[in-house]
Amino acid sequence: MQKIRAAITAVGGYVPEYILNNAELETMMDTTDEWIQTRTGIRERRILKGEGKGSSDMAVAAVNVLLAKKGLDPKDIEMVICATTTPDMQFPATANVICDKTGMTNAWGYDVNAACSGFIFALTIGAQFIETGRHKRVIVVGVDKMSSIMNYEDRKTSIIFGDGGGAVLLEPSEDGDGIIDSVLRTDGSGRVHLHQKAGGSVKPASIETVMNKEHYVYQEGQAVFKFAVKNMADVAAEIMERNNLTADDVHWLVPHQANKRIITATAERMKLPAEKVMMNIEKFGNTTNGTLPLCLWEWEDKLRKGDNIILAAFGGGFTWGSTYIRWAYDGSKA
Ligand code: UT7
């Protein structure tokens, strides 16, 4: 019997309207547009404003784009996996909230927390449910409201992050195109360099943790940078090698958007020219779980059936990974 393969058959995305540009950051902290652009490649990022708005609201907008594009009834969806580091609340899972807000009442689901690699991890998990024949329509979301855990007094960290997210629909492939392979890695010893100090079971929220600003992202930028440059490039090269892909065979690299210099180093390692690299970091910054689906959403109309696409990410944990996809349809923005 031929193996069932999972294919992405539609993409939706959403970024909030509010633009936080480098000039505004200059009024908030001791930084300059020149420093931020040179060190990161970021000009501006989006921020979700409005009381009571969370990651689920951006995910709902992205999912609705996708459902409308495919003309699907929300009740047709069987499963939703949401990759996020900024869930609406500790529990229940944001996936549940998304299902409720969109009317996907026949779906079950849960959240995946793998920081910036979450979308790749969730995509791999979702694909398994299609490959085993268990489900026919699975939605994988990658979304984050990073502004909710950002200390805008910390100029080394806050300048790279933004809000946004996207969603993809997975269905059984008709002809073998789809998600071909994944390499996924974790190294928990890396947690010291990038984490949130309080709010979990080790250090529950208290007046003290709030006063000490321990609910924000703590990042040792240089240490993370070194691991990210090496591991993201290694894993992308590894997936090319084990699938016998040369640089000429690869149509697109979809890299996590944390820092332009990390993206460039990965592309150089893969020997890919800049025009094959999806990059929107200059306008969205690092949306954590949102970066990869947002790239796919923006580039969807340029993607052609049969294109070889490599996804690569690195994030807190540490977590990192790469996925090889043979794209299953001619893209359109409609
Ligand atoms: O998303 C997944 C995980 N995250 C990442 O992959 C992020 C990886 N790390 C990075 O992208 C970079 O480390 C950052 C962009 C976060 C920081 O850039 P950096 O080149 O590593 O800067 P640094 O922290 O080493 O700081 C260099 C200098 C320092 O000054 P001194 O000590 O050399 O005098 C900082 O105080 O730049 C200073 N600096 C700034 N100056 C102006 C740090 N942040 C700023 C700033 N504006 N925003």
Side-chain angles (χ1 to χ4, degrees):
M1 209 171 76
Q2 210 192 337
K3 185 180 181 294
I4 303 170
R5 189 163 268 158
I8 293 175
T9 56
V11 186
Y14 176 81
V15 286
E17 272 172 32
Y18 190 85
I19 296 173
L20 173 59
N21 60 25
N22 292 348
E24 188 175 351
L25 282 180
E26 283 177 0
T27 68
M28 296 161 65
M29 62 186 76
D30 181 16
T31 192
T32 61
D33 173 50
E34 201 260 331
W35 191 96
I36 299 173
Q37 289 216 42
T38 313
R39 296 289 179 121
T40 71
I42 301 168
R43 271 191 292 115
E44 57 193 41
R45 66 289 292 142
R46 300 298 178 101
I47 302 295
L48 183 66
K49 298 270 187 183
E51 203 157 323
K53 297 257 182 239
S55 293
S56 71
D57 296 291
M58 295 186 285
V60 164
V63 166
N64 283 337
V65 167
L66 179 158
L67 292 175
K69 212 180 263 183
K70 291 292 281 185
L72 284 172
D73 185 323
K75 293 189 173 56
D76 294 336
I77 305 302
E78 294 160 273
M79 182 182 196
V80 175
I81 306 177
C82 178
T84 187
T85 308
T86 50
D88 279 16
M89 48 191 80
Q90 279 270 24
F91 74 91
T94 303
N96 293 33
V97 183
I98 297 167
C99 289
D100 178 49
K101 288 184 176 174
T102 52
M104 295 191 286
T105 48
N106 289 326
W108 70 288
Y110 52 82
D111 290 358
V112 165
N113 179 353
C116 299
S117 310
F119 183 75
I120 285 191
F121 282 30
L123 192 66
T124 308
I125 298 164
Q128 308 294 307
F129 284 91
I130 300 285
E131 288 168 11
T132 58
R134 178 76 187 249
H135 291 313
K136 297 232 165 352
R137 288 193 182 115
V138 175
I139 286 182
V140 177
V141 174
V143 68
D144 269 302
K145 183 184 170 185
M146 292 307 291
S147 61
S148 67
I149 52 170
M150 218 29 72
N151 175 5
Y152 287 101
E153 288 168 1
D154 176 2
R155 66 175 185 170
K156 288 187 179 180
T157 304
S158 59
I159 47 116
I160 68 171
F161 290 99
D163 303 339
V168 299
L169 177 66
L170 295 179
E171 293 183 287
S173 160
E174 286 163 8
D175 55 9
D177 284 348
I179 297 168
I180 311 264
D181 193 16
S182 284
V183 178
L184 307 173
R185 299 267 153 73
T186 65
D187 175 1
S189 68
R191 68 189 181 281
V192 295
H193 302 297
L194 180 52
H195 59 268
Q196 193 175 2
K197 293 196 177 297
S201 56
V202 168
K203 206 178 207 191
S206 66
I207 290 172
E208 200 185 10
T209 62
V210 173
M211 298 298 284
N212 291 340
K213 303 184 193 311
E214 291 177 315
H215 296 271
Y216 296 123
V217 173
Y218 170 81
Q219 176 174 267
E220 294 164 6
Q222 267 190 28
V224 177
F225 186 92
K226 278 182 203 149
F227 281 99
V229 161
K230 180 174 184 328
N231 289 326
M232 204 163 111
D234 277 357
V235 88
E238 184 181 340
I239 208 159
M240 282 175 71
E241 203 176 302
R242 81 181 198 187
N243 288 281
N244 300 314
L245 294 170
T246 65
D248 285 343
D249 299 324
V250 175
H251 295 85
W252 295 102
L253 166 65
V254 191
H256 173 51
Q257 313 277 310
N259 187 317
K260 190 177 178 182
R261 291 181 287 147
I262 300 173
I263 297 172
T264 307
T266 304
E268 277 172 8
R269 177 76 178 280
M270 297 167 75
K271 302 193 171 48
L272 290 185
E275 58 271 20
K276 287 188 176 183
V277 182
M278 295 187 193
M279 187 145 56
N280 54 19
I281 190 170
E282 68 283 355
K283 53 183 185 177
F284 298 150
N286 180 356
T287 54
T288 303
N289 287 278
T291 61
L292 299 184
L294 275 176
C295 280
L296 290 174
W297 174 56
E298 250 204 295
W299 268 264
E300 188 189 18
D301 56 346
K302 296 187 181 60
L303 303 180
R304 292 289 159 263
K305 184 168 170 51
D307 279 359
N308 290 315
I309 300 181
I310 305 284
L311 275 52
F314 181 89
F318 290 135
T319 56
W320 65 105
S322 186
T323 294
Y324 166 35
I325 300 174
R326 210 160 52 225
W327 199 249
Y329 63 100
D330 287 338
S332 110
K333 273 272 178 200

Short mmCIF file of all heavy atoms in Angstrom, two decimals, residues 29-32 35-36 39-40 116 155-157 159-161 194 219-222 224-225 228 256 258-259 261-262 286 288 314-316, ligand 1:
data_model
loop_
_atom_site.label_atom_id
_atom_site.label_comp_id
_atom_site.label_asym_id
_atom_site.label_seq_id
_atom_site.Cartn_x
_atom_site.Cartn_y
_atom_site.Cartn_z
N MET A 29 13.64 53.99 24.33
CA MET A 29 14.86 53.42 24.94
C MET A 29 16.08 54.02 24.25
O MET A 29 15.96 54.68 23.21
CB MET A 29 14.85 51.89 24.79
CG MET A 29 14.85 51.43 23.35
SD MET A 29 14.67 49.65 23.15
CE MET A 29 12.94 49.41 23.45
N ASP A 30 17.26 53.74 24.80
CA ASP A 30 18.50 54.27 24.25
C ASP A 30 18.95 53.40 23.08
O ASP A 30 19.73 52.46 23.25
CB ASP A 30 19.56 54.30 25.38
CG ASP A 30 20.87 54.86 24.90
OD1 ASP A 30 20.89 55.51 23.82
OD2 ASP A 30 21.89 54.65 25.58
N THR A 31 18.42 53.69 21.91
CA THR A 31 18.80 52.92 20.73
C THR A 31 18.71 53.80 19.49
O THR A 31 18.27 54.95 19.58
CB THR A 31 17.89 51.68 20.57
OG1 THR A 31 18.45 50.81 19.58
CG2 THR A 31 16.46 52.04 20.15
N THR A 32 19.14 53.27 18.36
CA THR A 32 19.02 54.03 17.11
C THR A 32 18.54 53.11 16.00
O THR A 32 18.79 51.90 16.02
CB THR A 32 20.40 54.59 16.67
OG1 THR A 32 21.28 53.48 16.46
CG2 THR A 32 20.99 55.54 17.69
N TRP A 35 21.50 51.29 14.50
CA TRP A 35 21.99 50.12 15.24
C TRP A 35 21.07 48.92 14.96
O TRP A 35 21.55 47.82 14.64
CB TRP A 35 22.04 50.40 16.75
CG TRP A 35 22.77 49.33 17.52
CD1 TRP A 35 24.08 49.36 17.91
CD2 TRP A 35 22.25 48.07 17.97
NE1 TRP A 35 24.40 48.19 18.57
CE2 TRP A 35 23.31 47.38 18.63
CE3 TRP A 35 21.01 47.43 17.88
CZ2 TRP A 35 23.16 46.11 19.19
CZ3 TRP A 35 20.86 46.16 18.44
CH2 TRP A 35 21.93 45.52 19.09
N ILE A 36 19.78 49.16 15.08
CA ILE A 36 18.84 48.03 14.93
C ILE A 36 18.92 47.45 13.51
O ILE A 36 18.99 46.23 13.34
CB ILE A 36 17.39 48.47 15.26
CG1 ILE A 36 17.30 48.96 16.71
CG2 ILE A 36 16.42 47.31 15.04
CD1 ILE A 36 15.95 49.58 17.09
N ARG A 39 22.37 45.58 13.00
CA ARG A 39 22.55 44.34 13.79
C ARG A 39 21.49 43.28 13.52
O ARG A 39 21.71 42.10 13.79
CB ARG A 39 22.53 44.65 15.29
CG ARG A 39 23.65 45.53 15.78
CD ARG A 39 24.96 44.77 15.76
NE ARG A 39 26.05 45.62 16.21
CZ ARG A 39 26.81 45.35 17.26
NH1 ARG A 39 26.65 44.24 17.94
NH2 ARG A 39 27.78 46.17 17.60
N THR A 40 20.30 43.73 13.04
CA THR A 40 19.20 42.74 12.94
C THR A 40 18.50 42.73 11.59
O THR A 40 17.84 41.76 11.24
CB THR A 40 18.11 43.02 13.99
OG1 THR A 40 17.41 44.22 13.64
CG2 THR A 40 18.69 43.17 15.39
N CYS A 116 10.63 29.32 19.13
CA CYS A 116 10.65 29.72 17.72
C CYS A 116 10.60 28.53 16.75
O CYS A 116 10.38 28.71 15.56
CB CYS A 116 11.87 30.57 17.44
SG CYS A 116 11.87 32.07 18.41
N ARG A 155 16.77 46.97 25.85
CA ARG A 155 17.03 47.30 24.44
C ARG A 155 17.70 46.16 23.69
O ARG A 155 17.67 46.10 22.47
CB ARG A 155 17.88 48.56 24.33
CG ARG A 155 19.29 48.42 24.88
CD ARG A 155 20.11 49.66 24.64
NE ARG A 155 21.49 49.44 25.06
CZ ARG A 155 22.48 50.28 24.80
NH1 ARG A 155 22.24 51.39 24.12
NH2 ARG A 155 23.70 50.01 25.20
N LYS A 156 18.33 45.23 24.42
CA LYS A 156 19.03 44.13 23.74
C LYS A 156 18.05 43.08 23.21
O LYS A 156 18.42 42.29 22.35
CB LYS A 156 19.99 43.44 24.71
CG LYS A 156 21.22 44.25 25.05
CD LYS A 156 22.18 43.42 25.86
CE LYS A 156 23.42 44.22 26.19
NZ LYS A 156 24.38 43.46 26.97
N THR A 157 16.86 43.03 23.80
CA THR A 157 15.92 41.97 23.44
C THR A 157 14.68 42.47 22.72
O THR A 157 14.27 41.93 21.69
CB THR A 157 15.50 41.20 24.72
OG1 THR A 157 16.66 40.72 25.37
CG2 THR A 157 14.59 40.03 24.40
N ILE A 159 13.90 44.88 20.85
CA ILE A 159 13.91 45.46 19.51
C ILE A 159 13.67 44.42 18.41
O ILE A 159 13.31 44.78 17.30
CB ILE A 159 15.25 46.19 19.26
CG1 ILE A 159 16.43 45.30 19.71
CG2 ILE A 159 15.32 47.50 20.00
CD1 ILE A 159 17.32 44.89 18.63
N ILE A 160 13.87 43.13 18.71
CA ILE A 160 13.73 42.15 17.61
C ILE A 160 12.32 41.56 17.49
O ILE A 160 11.98 40.99 16.46
CB ILE A 160 14.77 41.00 17.67
CG1 ILE A 160 14.57 40.07 18.86
CG2 ILE A 160 16.18 41.52 17.59
CD1 ILE A 160 15.46 38.81 18.78
N PHE A 161 11.48 41.69 18.53
CA PHE A 161 10.23 40.93 18.52
C PHE A 161 9.01 41.73 18.06
O PHE A 161 8.95 42.93 18.23
CB PHE A 161 9.97 40.34 19.92
CG PHE A 161 10.92 39.23 20.28
CD1 PHE A 161 12.02 39.48 21.08
CD2 PHE A 161 10.72 37.95 19.79
CE1 PHE A 161 12.91 38.45 21.41
CE2 PHE A 161 11.60 36.92 20.11
CZ PHE A 161 12.70 37.17 20.93
N LEU A 194 17.84 31.57 27.30
CA LEU A 194 16.61 32.17 26.74
C LEU A 194 15.41 31.53 27.42
O LEU A 194 15.13 30.35 27.21
CB LEU A 194 16.59 31.91 25.22
CG LEU A 194 15.42 32.43 24.40
CD1 LEU A 194 15.17 33.91 24.64
CD2 LEU A 194 15.67 32.19 22.90
N GLN A 219 16.81 37.02 27.55
CA GLN A 219 17.63 36.49 26.46
C GLN A 219 19.07 36.98 26.54
O GLN A 219 19.31 38.18 26.65
CB GLN A 219 17.04 36.90 25.10
CG GLN A 219 17.89 36.46 23.91
CD GLN A 219 17.24 36.72 22.57
OE1 GLN A 219 16.57 35.87 22.01
NE2 GLN A 219 17.47 37.91 22.03
N GLU A 220 20.00 36.04 26.50
CA GLU A 220 21.41 36.39 26.36
C GLU A 220 21.71 36.34 24.87
O GLU A 220 22.02 35.28 24.30
CB GLU A 220 22.28 35.39 27.15
CG GLU A 220 22.05 35.48 28.65
CD GLU A 220 22.57 34.27 29.43
OE1 GLU A 220 23.23 33.39 28.82
OE2 GLU A 220 22.32 34.21 30.64
N GLY A 221 21.54 37.50 24.25
CA GLY A 221 21.51 37.58 22.79
C GLY A 221 22.70 36.95 22.09
O GLY A 221 22.55 36.16 21.17
N GLN A 222 23.91 37.29 22.56
CA GLN A 222 25.11 36.80 21.86
C GLN A 222 25.22 35.28 21.92
O GLN A 222 25.57 34.64 20.93
CB GLN A 222 26.35 37.42 22.48
CG GLN A 222 26.77 38.68 21.77
CD GLN A 222 28.13 39.16 22.23
OE1 GLN A 222 28.97 38.38 22.67
NE2 GLN A 222 28.34 40.46 22.14
N VAL A 224 22.77 33.11 22.33
CA VAL A 224 21.72 32.53 21.48
C VAL A 224 22.11 32.65 20.01
O VAL A 224 21.96 31.71 19.23
CB VAL A 224 20.36 33.22 21.74
CG1 VAL A 224 19.29 32.66 20.82
CG2 VAL A 224 19.94 33.06 23.20
N PHE A 225 22.67 33.80 19.66
CA PHE A 225 23.08 34.05 18.28
C PHE A 225 24.06 32.97 17.80
O PHE A 225 23.91 32.40 16.71
CB PHE A 225 23.71 35.44 18.19
CG PHE A 225 24.06 35.86 16.79
CD1 PHE A 225 23.15 36.57 16.02
CD2 PHE A 225 25.29 35.54 16.23
CE1 PHE A 225 23.46 36.95 14.72
CE2 PHE A 225 25.60 35.92 14.93
CZ PHE A 225 24.69 36.62 14.18
N ALA A 228 22.32 29.71 17.33
CA ALA A 228 21.35 29.79 16.22
C ALA A 228 22.05 29.71 14.87
O ALA A 228 21.64 28.95 13.99
CB ALA A 228 20.55 31.09 16.33
N HIS A 256 13.44 30.93 9.87
CA HIS A 256 12.93 31.68 11.01
C HIS A 256 13.52 33.08 10.96
O HIS A 256 14.70 33.25 10.65
CB HIS A 256 13.32 30.97 12.31
CG HIS A 256 12.97 31.76 13.52
ND1 HIS A 256 11.73 32.29 13.72
CD2 HIS A 256 13.72 32.14 14.60
CE1 HIS A 256 11.71 32.95 14.87
NE2 HIS A 256 12.91 32.88 15.42
N ALA A 258 14.72 35.73 12.95
CA ALA A 258 15.16 36.25 14.25
C ALA A 258 16.17 37.37 14.07
O ALA A 258 16.20 38.33 14.83
CB ALA A 258 15.78 35.15 15.09
N ASN A 259 16.99 37.22 13.05
CA ASN A 259 18.05 38.18 12.80
C ASN A 259 18.53 37.95 11.37
O ASN A 259 18.81 36.81 10.98
CB ASN A 259 19.20 37.95 13.80
CG ASN A 259 20.25 39.04 13.71
OD1 ASN A 259 20.64 39.45 12.62
ND2 ASN A 259 20.70 39.51 14.85
N ARG A 261 21.23 38.43 10.01
CA ARG A 261 22.57 37.82 9.91
C ARG A 261 22.50 36.30 10.06
O ARG A 261 23.29 35.58 9.46
CB ARG A 261 23.51 38.44 10.96
CG ARG A 261 23.85 39.90 10.68
CD ARG A 261 24.80 40.46 11.71
NE ARG A 261 24.16 40.69 12.98
CZ ARG A 261 24.74 40.56 14.17
NH1 ARG A 261 26.00 40.17 14.24
NH2 ARG A 261 24.09 40.79 15.28
N ILE A 262 21.55 35.81 10.87
CA ILE A 262 21.40 34.35 11.02
C ILE A 262 20.83 33.77 9.73
O ILE A 262 21.26 32.71 9.26
CB ILE A 262 20.47 34.02 12.22
CG1 ILE A 262 21.04 34.57 13.52
CG2 ILE A 262 20.24 32.50 12.32
CD1 ILE A 262 20.12 34.43 14.74
N ASN A 286 10.70 39.57 14.63
CA ASN A 286 10.66 38.15 15.02
C ASN A 286 9.33 37.87 15.72
O ASN A 286 9.14 38.24 16.88
CB ASN A 286 11.85 37.88 15.96
CG ASN A 286 11.91 36.44 16.44
OD1 ASN A 286 11.03 35.64 16.16
ND2 ASN A 286 12.95 36.12 17.19
N THR A 288 8.29 34.93 16.46
CA THR A 288 8.48 33.62 17.13
C THR A 288 7.78 32.50 16.34
O THR A 288 8.24 32.14 15.29
CB THR A 288 8.07 33.73 18.62
OG1 THR A 288 8.87 34.76 19.18
CG2 THR A 288 8.33 32.46 19.41
N PHE A 314 15.26 28.05 14.64
CA PHE A 314 16.01 27.85 15.89
C PHE A 314 15.36 28.71 16.96
O PHE A 314 14.97 29.84 16.70
CB PHE A 314 17.47 28.28 15.73
CG PHE A 314 18.27 28.07 16.99
CD1 PHE A 314 18.91 26.85 17.22
CD2 PHE A 314 18.32 29.05 17.97
CE1 PHE A 314 19.60 26.64 18.40
CE2 PHE A 314 19.02 28.84 19.15
CZ PHE A 314 19.66 27.63 19.37
N GLY A 315 15.24 28.16 18.18
CA GLY A 315 14.62 28.96 19.22
C GLY A 315 14.92 28.50 20.62
O GLY A 315 15.70 27.56 20.84
N GLY A 316 14.28 29.16 21.56
CA GLY A 316 14.47 28.89 22.98
C GLY A 316 14.22 27.42 23.29
O GLY A 316 13.41 26.76 22.68
O1 UT7 B 1 14.19 33.86 17.95
C1 UT7 B 1 15.02 32.84 18.34
C2 UT7 B 1 16.05 33.16 19.32
N1 UT7 B 1 16.64 34.46 19.26
C3 UT7 B 1 17.64 34.78 18.40
O2 UT7 B 1 17.99 34.05 17.52
C4 UT7 B 1 18.35 36.10 18.65
C5 UT7 B 1 19.83 35.94 18.55
N2 UT7 B 1 20.57 37.13 18.97
C6 UT7 B 1 20.58 38.27 18.26
O3 UT7 B 1 19.94 38.39 17.23
C7 UT7 B 1 21.49 39.38 18.74
O4 UT7 B 1 22.29 38.91 19.78
C8 UT7 B 1 20.71 40.65 19.22
C9 UT7 B 1 20.10 41.38 18.04
C10 UT7 B 1 19.63 40.28 20.22
C11 UT7 B 1 21.72 41.63 19.89
O5 UT7 B 1 22.76 41.94 18.97
P1 UT7 B 1 24.28 41.77 19.33
O6 UT7 B 1 25.04 42.15 18.13
O7 UT7 B 1 24.51 40.38 19.85
O8 UT7 B 1 24.47 42.84 20.45
P2 UT7 B 1 25.04 42.67 21.93
O9 UT7 B 1 23.95 42.25 22.83
O10 UT7 B 1 26.31 41.88 21.91
O11 UT7 B 1 25.44 44.16 22.26
C12 UT7 B 1 26.53 44.82 21.58
C13 UT7 B 1 26.60 46.26 22.03
C14 UT7 B 1 26.58 46.41 23.54
O12 UT7 B 1 27.33 47.55 23.85
P3 UT7 B 1 28.81 47.39 24.46
O13 UT7 B 1 28.67 46.58 25.70
O14 UT7 B 1 29.60 46.69 23.39
O15 UT7 B 1 29.23 48.81 24.70
C15 UT7 B 1 25.14 46.70 23.84
O16 UT7 B 1 24.96 47.43 25.03
O17 UT7 B 1 25.45 46.96 21.54
C16 UT7 B 1 24.72 47.51 22.64
N3 UT7 B 1 23.31 47.38 22.35
C17 UT7 B 1 22.58 48.33 21.74
N4 UT7 B 1 22.89 49.55 21.31
C18 UT7 B 1 21.92 50.28 20.74
C19 UT7 B 1 22.51 46.31 22.57
N5 UT7 B 1 21.26 46.55 22.14
C20 UT7 B 1 21.29 47.80 21.63
C21 UT7 B 1 20.30 48.60 21.02
N6 UT7 B 1 20.66 49.83 20.59
N7 UT7 B 1 19.02 48.18 20.85
#
